[in-house]
Amino acid sequence: GMPVDLPQPSSTSEIVDSASCLGVLTMDKEGMLFLDGERCSFESLGVGLDRLDKPAARTPTLLVKADRKVSIESFVRATEILRSRGIKAVLVAVQEGPRP
């Protein structure tokens, strides 16, 4: 996948299996977007999201891997596009820290 410098949370968090998500949106430090490994732009992100297989039985969820240097404006813009395309939940990936 695309290497990104994920933030590390101050508290422990539940590990999420990315297989339970519709897909993975990666945002690198330059602001480039990759949906399931394929390069896209903010303008083409919606089309890519429309192609995802959204099962009716569960809440449409996407995993977002955003580099710690991604601007908050870019993150918000991406999440607005996700919501407009029916993604009801966004999981944000973080760097797993050492176990206590």
Side-chain angles (χ1 to χ4, degrees):
M2 170 61 65
V4 289
D5 184 14
L6 299 174
Q8 188 168 1
S10 58
S11 62
T12 59
S13 60
E14 182 179 332
I15 305 247
V16 175
D17 179 6
S18 62
S20 66
C21 298
L22 297 175
V24 178
L25 175 64
T26 304
M27 303 175 73
D28 77 0
K29 62 184 175 184
E30 281 84 31
M32 291 193 300
L33 304 176
F34 298 85
L35 183 59
D36 286 342
E38 290 191 29
R39 175 98 162 87
C40 62
S41 64
F42 284 106
E43 292 75 22
S44 66
L45 178 57
V47 174
L49 293 168
D50 289 342
R51 292 185 186 143
L52 296 177
D53 184 26
K54 297 180 186 132
R58 62 184 167 118
T59 302
T61 303
L62 200 75
L63 178 62
V64 177
K65 293 181 176 181
D67 191 280
R68 71 176 67 229
K69 294 183 180 174
V70 167
S71 72
I72 190 67
E73 291 86 4
S74 293
F75 182 81
V76 169
R77 184 176 178 193
T79 56
E80 287 174 342
I81 295 168
L82 300 180
R83 274 188 25 214
S84 75
R85 292 300 212 245
I87 304 298
K88 302 293 183 194
V90 173
L91 302 173
V92 180
V94 295
Q95 182 67 45
E96 185 179 358
R99 299 271 177 192

